[in-house]
């Protein structure tokens, strides 16, 4: 069974927490200049308070139930945050190398295969693939090995991670995608994994992706699902709720946003593998009480060894995991 410790080794996470705290303090220096926004999915200005975490207020849209940070850091605050991030430098130096083998085998190779299968199924040309948020570079590296795409480009605005991508031989652009001029380059496939939740304006991002894609080109996105099991169960105690995740869509609200930007949503999945374990971990740490929730206690504690894996598979197969994947095709 895939475990959280496989990708986030606990012996390294204390140091990561210290770096994250420094980043949060740097971000909160701008708190008085945070700005109010409408719902990033549907544009409604009707919402109610959800919770506060790391001194950031989260609200729930009354129309589409997207959870989002409001008020939120301005784009210039976010650019400063990511370019100066001590947390991402730490991940790049310690956590990603320590977990690379598992990430490659359990996450990125299956993702590469899924992307190729989607392209084959939809008869998508494979001239150029662009990954937005290339991170440690493993996905692009694995795509290169398949020799399916003629050109592979990684977009990574965080300096340490961008250099790691270059060191792997990946063509890398060190800027937010909204600031990049690709000239006459036509892109067949854009992928971004765990990126859209970080953005000040997801709609502007999707509009840029739409502009760059070839006719019938596809956009593949993964991100947290606020209605998935671990987020819905734990609320602000979920690790998916943090200072960086400004937009916590659900599968229907993200579909709505895709469609408003001209995409036809042709696939929706929740392929997450860690929901049950993440909630179980909070119970075992004494940070989430299931004394009055006998079902959760039975599944996640008493019968974990017998049914834990099948319960997670049930969540994943029924659009109930807190990690979701959407595929949108440019249709107009």
């Amino acid at each position: 069974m895939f475990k959280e410790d496989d990708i986030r080794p606990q012996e390294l996470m204390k140091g990561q927490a210290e770096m994250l705290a420094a980043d949060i303090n740097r971000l909160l220096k701008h708190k008085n200049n945070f700005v109010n926004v409408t719902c990033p999915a549907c544009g409604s200005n009707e919402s109610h308070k959800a919770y506060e975490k790391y001194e950031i207020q989260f609200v729930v849209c009354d129309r589409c139930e997207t959870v989002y940070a409001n008020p939120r850091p301005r784009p210039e605050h976010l650019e400063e945050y990511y370019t100066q991030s001590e947390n991402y430098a730490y991940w790049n130096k310690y956590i990603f190398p320590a977990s690379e083998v598992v990430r490659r085998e359990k996450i990125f190779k299956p993702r590469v295969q899924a992307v190729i299968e989607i392209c084959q199924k939809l008869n998508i040309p494979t001239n150029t693939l662009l990954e937005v948020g290339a991170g440690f570079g493993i996905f692009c590296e694995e795509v290169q090995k398949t020799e399916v795409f003629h050109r592979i480009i990684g977009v990574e605005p965080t300096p340490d991670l961008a250099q790691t991508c270059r060191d792997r031989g990946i063509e890398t652009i060190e800027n937010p995608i909204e600031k990049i001029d690709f000239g006459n380059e036509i892109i067949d496939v854009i992928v971004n994994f765990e990126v859209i939740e970080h953005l000040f304006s997801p709609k502007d991002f999707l509009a840029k992706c739409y502009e760059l894609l070839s006719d019938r080109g596809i956009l593949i996105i993964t991100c947290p699902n606020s209605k998935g099991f671990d987020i819905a169960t734990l609320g602000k105690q979920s690790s998916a709720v943090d200072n960086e995740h400004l937009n916590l869509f659900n599968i229907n609200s993200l579909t709505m946003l895709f469609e408003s930007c001209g995409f036809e949503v042709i696939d929706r999945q929740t392929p997450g593998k860690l929901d049950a374990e993440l909630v179980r971990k909070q119970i075992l740490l004494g940070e989430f009480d299931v004394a009055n929730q006998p079902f959760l206690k039975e599944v996640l504690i008493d019968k974990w060894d017998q049914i834990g894996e099948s319960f997670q598979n049930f969540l994943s197969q029924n659009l109930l995991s807190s990690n979701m994947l959407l595929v949108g095709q440019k249709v107009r």
Side-chain angles (χ1 to χ4, degrees):
M1 190 173 180
F2 187 28
K3 297 181 179 179
E4 183 188 19
D5 196 51
D6 292 336
I7 58 171
R8 293 190 278 266
Q10 289 305 301
E11 69 271 15
L12 297 175
M13 295 309 290
K14 182 179 179 181
Q16 180 270 338
E18 293 171 357
M19 299 301 104
L20 176 61
D23 282 0
I24 292 171
N25 287 335
R26 191 180 308 111
L27 184 66
L28 291 176
K29 289 191 302 184
H30 301 293
K31 187 173 181 181
N32 290 338
N33 291 313
F34 285 7
V35 292
N36 287 296
V37 295
T38 57
C39 174
C42 70
S44 172
N45 60 9
E46 299 296 325
S47 64
H48 59 276
K49 290 183 178 180
Y51 37 68
E52 183 177 297
K53 190 170 184 180
Y54 301 128
E55 297 186 40
I56 294 174
Q57 178 67 53
F58 291 85
V59 300
V60 182
C61 176
D62 291 338
R63 181 187 298 173
C64 71
E65 299 182 281
T66 294
V67 179
Y68 60 102
N70 195 33
R72 64 179 52 191
R74 297 173 184 267
E76 59 268 27
H77 303 154
L78 296 172
E79 183 173 355
E80 176 190 87
Y81 178 89
Y82 288 110
T83 56
Q84 297 182 19
S85 173
E86 296 177 44
N87 180 39
Y88 280 93
Y90 184 91
W91 274 81
N92 186 55
K93 186 175 181 179
Y94 298 108
I95 299 175
F96 283 142
S99 60
E100 178 174 351
V101 172
V102 174
R103 287 174 180 272
R104 187 181 297 275
E105 294 300 321
K106 299 291 187 179
I107 298 175
F108 291 104
K109 283 186 177 180
R111 277 181 178 171
V112 169
Q113 190 57 41
V115 169
I116 292 171
E117 288 174 1
I118 290 167
C119 291
Q120 291 172 340
K121 180 180 178 181
L122 298 173
N123 198 28
I124 303 297
T126 53
N127 296 307
T128 303
L129 177 143
L130 174 69
E131 182 182 10
V132 183
F136 201 57
I138 303 175
F139 177 84
C140 284
E141 192 174 57
E142 287 298 321
V143 174
Q144 286 178 335
K145 291 178 183 178
T146 68
E147 299 184 347
V148 170
F149 289 87
H150 297 298
R151 185 182 182 193
I152 298 160
I153 306 168
V155 171
E156 180 48 64
T158 301
D160 294 288
L161 293 172
Q163 187 57 51
T164 297
C165 290
R166 294 190 197 98
D167 292 342
R168 292 183 185 273
I170 298 163
E171 180 182 350
T172 306
I173 301 173
E174 193 177 319
N175 256 322
I177 189 173
E178 293 86 350
K179 294 187 175 183
I180 300 171
D181 182 359
F182 286 93
N184 295 322
E185 181 72 37
I186 300 298
I187 298 164
D188 301 302
V189 179
I190 298 176
V191 299
N192 62 105
F193 308 113
E194 287 74 57
V195 170
I196 196 168
E197 65 268 26
H198 295 256
L199 303 177
F200 179 83
S201 177
K203 190 163 189 174
D204 288 348
F205 169 73
L206 289 185
K208 181 68 172 183
C209 291
Y210 185 90
E211 171 193 321
L212 293 173
L213 281 169
S214 59
D215 291 341
R216 311 300 294 179
I218 59 171
L219 171 66
I220 302 172
I221 282 180
T222 65
C223 65
N225 169 22
S226 65
K227 288 193 173 185
F229 179 71
D230 87 77
I231 299 177
T233 302
L234 296 176
K236 72 175 183 179
Q237 290 178 236
S238 169
S239 58
V241 180
D242 65 21
N243 62 297
E244 296 181 13
H245 292 175
L246 308 179
N247 316 291
L248 293 170
F249 299 103
N250 57 67
I251 204 158
N252 290 328
S253 68
L254 187 57
T255 297
M256 183 188 307
L257 179 58
F258 264 64
E259 292 173 347
S260 73
C261 293
F263 291 98
E264 178 184 355
V265 175
I266 54 178
D267 196 10
R268 311 194 307 174
Q269 306 172 22
T270 61
K273 303 295 184 185
L274 293 176
D275 299 73
E277 186 197 344
L278 291 170
V279 177
R280 169 180 161 83
K281 180 180 176 181
Q282 293 293 305
I283 298 169
L284 294 175
L285 290 172
E287 296 177 3
F288 183 71
D289 186 7
V290 290
N292 295 315
Q293 300 194 54
F295 175 77
L296 292 184
K297 181 176 180 295
E298 183 170 16
V299 173
L300 301 179
I301 303 298
D302 299 341
K303 294 185 178 179
W304 175 252
D305 291 338
Q306 298 98 314
I307 64 174
E309 186 171 2
S310 59
F311 179 67
Q312 180 62 54
N313 290 337
F314 167 81
L315 296 174
S316 300
Q317 293 163 8
N318 290 278
L319 301 183
L320 295 171
S321 167
S322 289
N323 174 267
M324 62 180 168
L325 179 149
L326 264 70
V327 181
Q329 187 167 35
K330 183 174 178 175
V331 294
R332 67 170 190 249

